[in-house]
C-alpha cells in the first residue's frame, strides 16, 4: 500500500528538523539537486533500488557529485522560481556529504516500505522549503557608517517585529532578545559557561531560575515585563539570588511602575533593570576599545555566537543573522 503524500511529508519534515534543514539554504539546495538526480534516473529508466550513496560521491569522495548553484537554480526555475537560493548550492558545505548519505538511506527506506516512491512529491516538498526560506530569510544586520550601534540593534528588532506581525504565532522579538543576550554572555564569559535553552522552553518547574543563571545572578530577558515575571524576581530574591531584567525601553518603564506598586513598594530598588539595546551596545563599544574597527569586530563575535546558539537550540534557522555590507 502506498504511503499518502501527507505521510511522506511528515517523514520528510522529521528529516528536515533532525538535519537542521529548515531555514538553511545550503542543505535545501543540496537536497533539491540530490532528489532531482534520483528523479532523472527514474525518468530515464536507469534507477535501481536500493540506491547506493557512492553513486553521488565525486571520485575523491570529498564532495557530493553534481551540487552547485546552476544545478540548484535549474530545479527552482522548473517550478517557476527565479530567485537565487545559494551560489554554491551546498557544494562547499562540510555537512553535505553526510546529508546526502542520510537522505539516500531515507529514500531507500521509504521505497522499501511502500514498494514505490513519488520522487516528484519529494521534490515539491523541498521546493516548499525553498519558498519558505525566501519568505523568511535570516535577519540582516547592516551597519550604516552613519548609524550608532543602538540603531543597528534596533533595526534587527524591527525585522523581528515585522516577522512577528505576520501572525505566524512565533514570538520572534523575545527569541531574538534572549539569544542575543546569551551570545553577549558567551563572548563576555566564554563559551560553555552559560546554558542556552529553546526560546519557548519555560523555566518554571526546571532547575533554572530564569533565562540565564550565573553565580548569584538570575537574568530574565523579555520584551514586555508582566506581574508573572515580577513574581519570578521575588522568588529569586527570596532564594538569595539577584534578579536582573533585560527588557525594551518601554518595558523598563512598565517594570519600574510594577515594582513601585507591588507589595507597597517593598521590592522597589531590589531588581536591577537594563534596557536591551543599551545592554548590547555598551558591550560592543567597550570590547571594541571605542574605535570603529573594534566595534565591528566585537559585534561580529556576538553575531557569530548568536548563530551558534540558534543552530544548537532552535528549530527555525531563519532566526539566524547575516552580516550585511558594512
Amino acid at each position: 500500500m502506498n504511503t499518502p503524500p501527507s505521510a511522506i511529508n511528515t517523514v520528510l519534515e522529521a528529516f528536515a528538523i533532525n538535519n537542521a534543514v529548515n531555514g538553511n539554504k545550503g542543505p535545501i539546495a543540496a537536497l533539491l539537486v540530490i532528489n532531482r538526480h534520483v528523479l532523472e534516473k527514474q525518468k530515464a529508466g536507469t534507477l535501481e533500488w536500493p540506491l547506493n550513496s557512492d553513486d553521488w560521491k565525486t571520485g575523491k569522495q570529498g564532495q557530493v557529485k553534481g551540487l552547485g548553484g546552476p544545478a540548484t537554480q535549474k530545479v527552482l526555475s522548473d517550478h517557476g522560481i527565479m530567485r537565487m537560493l545559494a551560489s554554491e548550492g551546498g557544494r562547499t558545505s562540510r555537512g553535505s556529504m553526510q546529508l546526502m548519505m542520510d537522505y539516500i538511506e531515507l529514500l531507500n527506506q521509504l521505497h522499501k516500505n511502500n514498494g514505490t516512491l513519488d520522487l516528484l512529491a519529494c521534490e515539491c516538498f523541498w521546493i516548499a522549503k525553498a519558498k519558505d526560506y525566501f519568505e523568511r530569510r535570516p535577519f540582516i544586520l547592516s551597519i550604516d557608517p552613519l548609524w550608532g550601534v543602538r540603531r543597528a540593534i534596533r533595526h534587527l528588532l524591527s525585522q523581528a517585529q515585522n516577522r512577528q506581525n505576520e501572525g505566524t504565532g512565533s514570538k520572534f522579538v523575545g527569541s531574538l532578545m534572549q539569544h542575543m543576550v546569551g551570545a553577549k554572555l558567551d563572548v563576555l564569559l566564554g563559551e560553555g559557561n552559560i546554558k542556552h535553552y529553546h526560546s519557548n522552553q519555560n523555566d518554571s518547574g526546571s532547575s533554572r531560575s530564569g533565562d540565564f543563571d550565573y553565580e548569584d545572578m538570575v537574568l530574565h530577558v523579555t520584551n514586555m515585563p508582566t506581574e508573572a515575571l515580577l513574581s519570578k524576581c521575588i522568588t529569586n530574591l527570596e532564594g538569595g539570588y539577584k534578579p536582573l531584567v533585560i527588557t525594551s525601553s518601554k518595558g523598563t518603564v512598565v517594570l519600574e511602575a510594577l515594582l513601585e506598586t507591588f507589595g507597597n513598594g517593598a521590592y522597589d530598588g531590589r531588581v536591577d533593570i537594563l534596557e536591551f539595546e543599551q545592554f548590547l551596545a555598551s558591550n560592543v563599544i567597550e570590547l571594541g576599545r571605542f574605535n570603529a574597527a573594534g566595534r565591528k569586530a566585537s559585534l561580529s563575535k556576538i553575531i557569530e555566537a548568536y548563530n551558534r546558539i540558534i543552530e544548537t537550540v532552535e528549530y527555525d534557522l531563519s532566526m539566524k543573522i547575516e552580516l550585511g555590507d558594512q
Side-chain angles (χ1 to χ4, degrees), residues 183 187 296-306 308 323:
V187 172
K296 179 178 178 180
S298 59
L299 186 55
S300 295
K301 287 182 180 179
I302 291 175
I303 298 305
E304 288 173 3
Y306 169 90
R308 285 197 300 270
L323 287 171

Side-chain angles (χ1 to χ4, degrees), residues 35 52 62 72 74 91 104 136-137 147 152 154 194 224 232 252 255 266 269 275 289 304 313 323:
N35 194 94
N52 186 345
T72 302
K74 174 63 170 61
R91 180 167 55 86
I104 293 299
R136 293 174 52 191
R137 290 190 60 194
W147 287 6
R154 189 174 303 136
I194 291 290
M224 186 55 63
K232 292 181 181 180
T252 60
L255 185 55
E275 193 266 334
R289 302 293 183 181
E304 288 173 3
V313 303
L323 287 171

Side-chain angles (χ1 to χ4, degrees), residues 153-166:
I153 295 170
R154 189 174 303 136
H155 185 243
L156 271 179
L157 287 174
S158 69
Q159 293 176 60
Q161 185 64 61
N162 289 338
R163 186 178 296 181
Q164 188 167 302
N165 291 342
E166 294 173 356

Side-chain angles (χ1 to χ4, degrees), residues 52-65 91 93-94 96-98 100-101:
N52 186 345
S53 60
D54 288 342
D55 294 338
W56 277 266
K57 297 177 182 178
T58 60
K60 295 182 179 180
Q61 298 191 359
Q63 293 182 338
V64 178
K65 187 184 300 183
R91 180 167 55 86
S93 173
R94 295 180 180 178
S96 292
M97 181 64 73
Q98 187 61 54
M100 178 275 291
M101 292 189 292

Side-chain angles (χ1 to χ4, degrees), residues 9-34:
N9 287 352
T10 299
V11 174
L12 293 177
E13 183 61 43
F15 180 87
I17 292 173
N18 292 335
N19 290 275
V21 175
N22 293 336
N24 198 336
K25 61 183 179 181
I28 295 172
L31 289 165
L32 281 171
V33 175
I34 295 166

Side-chain angles (χ1 to χ4, degrees), residues 35 39 50 65 77 80 90-91 101 107 142 154 204 234 311:
N35 194 94
L39 181 58
K65 187 184 300 183
S77 64
R91 180 167 55 86
M101 292 189 292
L107 294 181
S142 297
R154 189 174 303 136
S204 299
I234 293 172
E311 291 174 349

